[in-house]
Amino acid sequence: MSHLMRYFVSRELGVANVLQRHFDWISSNLWPTDVADATDPSRFSVHLSAKDTIVDTPRISRYLAREGLKDGEGLKVFSQKHGDSMLGHGSGFEAVLDW
């Protein structure tokens, strides 16, 4: 499925055109310094996927830890693929609902 998704996201002309030419990546960034109380896990939480093929989860985790988010509290990494926590099952989905 990962190879299939990667193929269609990177090769399909409409999707590739939007992502590469028209998606404003800079405006989509949200930095911990932009969020009030980002280190308070009751107010801010980041959920990442350990098996993500789109983002570099270890690098993002290290950055967020340096910014003060504690692993297991405001920063949660689940052993799943990108977006699996939104599919309605698993520990990532339950964590999102609980938060």
Side-chain angles (χ1 to χ4, degrees), residues 2-16:
S2 176
H3 294 293
L4 191 62
M5 289 297 293
R6 184 178 293 251
Y7 175 79
F8 281 109
V9 169
S10 65
R11 297 279 198 293
E12 198 278 322
L13 289 178
V15 173

Side-chain angles (χ1 to χ4, degrees), residues 80-92:
Q80 58 193 25
K81 296 177 184 172
H82 182 88
D84 279 354
S85 62
M86 298 286 110
L87 295 179
H89 62 275
S91 60

Side-chain angles (χ1 to χ4, degrees), residues 6 29 32 35 53 56 61 69 72-73 97:
R6 184 178 293 251
N29 289 338
V35 179
T53 58
D56 188 349
S61 296
L69 277 76
E73 293 178 16
L97 288 181

Side-chain angles (χ1 to χ4, degrees), residues 35-47:
V35 179
D37 301 322
T39 57
D40 180 0
S42 67
R43 297 183 50 93
F44 185 74
S45 183
V46 176
H47 298 221

Side-chain angles (χ1 to χ4, degrees), residues 9-29:
V9 169
S10 65
R11 297 279 198 293
E12 198 278 322
L13 289 178
V15 173
N17 184 41
V18 168
L19 289 177
Q20 294 176 9
R21 305 277 184 203
H22 302 288
F23 189 79
D24 190 4
W25 292 99
I26 299 300
S27 295
S28 299
N29 289 338

